[in-house]
Amino acid sequence: MPKIVDHESRKIRIAEATWEVIVEDGLEHATVRKIAKKARLSVGSLRNTFPTQSDLLQYSMQLVSERVRKRIESKRYDGAPLDAVLALFSEFLPADDERKIEMEVWFVFSAKTLTDPKLKTLFKKVYHDMHGLFREVLLKLKSAGCLKENFDLEIEATRLHTLIDGLGIHYLLYPEKMTHEKMMNALQFHLQSICKS
Amino acid sequence: MPKIVDHESRKIRIAEATWEVIVEDGLEHATVRKIAKKARLSVGSLRNTFPTQSDLLQYSMQLVSERVRKRIESKRYDGAPLDAVLALFSEFLPADDERKIEMEVWFVFSAKTLTDPKLKTLFKKVYHDMHGLFREVLLKLKSAGCLKENFDLEIEATRLHTLIDGLGIHYLLYPEKMTHEKMMNALQFHLQSICKS
DNA sequence: ATTTTTTTAGCACAACTGTATTAAAAAAAG
DNA sequence: CTTTTTTTAATACAGTTGTGCTAAAAAAAT
């Protein structure tokens, strides 16, 4: 009977190899041959799990979006003190290598969605979840009476969301200008600026 | 004697054609044949002004950075009221088509710098100028006594910079979520939040 | 050991790429 | 018109790409 292979974990392994190639050489050099080599597979074997390159890239992007969304879902706010909120939000900054790779791949694919509308659906979902989390946490802070009076939920969610995305992007693009410490300082200061006391 | 041609304006025309191709089809499809067609030139003629594709892309990116930097330099703050500051900062949001194209090309090239270190110099310069402008304007506001007491120049420059970049990127990536009005509201609110009264 | 399926390696092909070369056409200045 | 240079158009070539195909090797279950 057939040789059994765990297709799911293989797909994941290939997708992660794809990420590595993208981070090292860029999306335009993420060829099937390079990816196969990185995943230590033959091109034929890779083609067996992903018939076309388009399938491969689509899955790779989907996996990033799933990872990010799981990160979001696992981080529901439970009413802990302000330090916990800071810790929660800082989870969306590219602090460790894993998140840095994810965000870098995410960034590269983002640029691609500008000319490849097929990919936009995944991105919209992640944006929606992310924005929803920020709204939810802010709303709970508001309910707990932690926030200042002139509070506009939509504007604050937007400010928080763009601040975090902006910090992360600056960290990726200008690592000699934007440090991890600066990101945390800016985030902490921002939180304090909308809170009472 | 020779047919005279304005090489400088031709280079600009080609670079702008390159931008169009990048915006329409993406950087990886910005081939010399397509760019020549878009600029209504022959490939040979294009190769006469730009010997290699690398030269072409490098100049195209340099032109974007020059345009952005000129925009920055022309926008020195002269001590006008707060509305003027808002108007000044809003110049760096992708409001009209010209700035939207510039920012989109800028964004695409940004993603490329992650794997192509040669391009980083230009980007650092623009970052530096932009950050410097924000610092300068904030400092003048501070000197004029417009700002609140707990004011940290570096953190506020970072917050402002990342907010504006974040807003613009969200506008490019999620046009159905981020509108021009929302960008302006967020920016105005942010300014007010650091100002007295 | 036999059977069944997957995996592998290699080759091949057409399409597209950047780049080079060439000769003809066009244009500007004398 | 003649001369000089640029522009054009066509062709060519080598490299890389995605993809398809085939035969051998490997692996798992009977």
Side-chain angles (χ1 to χ4, degrees), chain A residues 1-3 5 7 10 33 40-42 44-45 48:
Chain A
M1 280 225 179
K3 174 181 176 181
V5 78
H7 278 88
R10 162 160 290 197
R33 287 169 176 85
R40 280 177 302 189
L41 289 174
S42 69
S45 172
N48 199 322

Side-chain angles (χ1 to χ4, degrees), chain B residues 123-145:
Chain B
F123 280 78
K124 284 189 199 167
K125 272 189 201 164
V126 172
Y127 179 95
H128 181 264
D129 288 2
M130 195 100 167
H131 210 76
L133 177 65
F134 291 139
R135 286 179 69 105
E136 180 187 325
V137 174
L138 287 172
L139 206 54
K140 282 185 180 165
L141 285 177
K142 176 67 178 170
S143 304

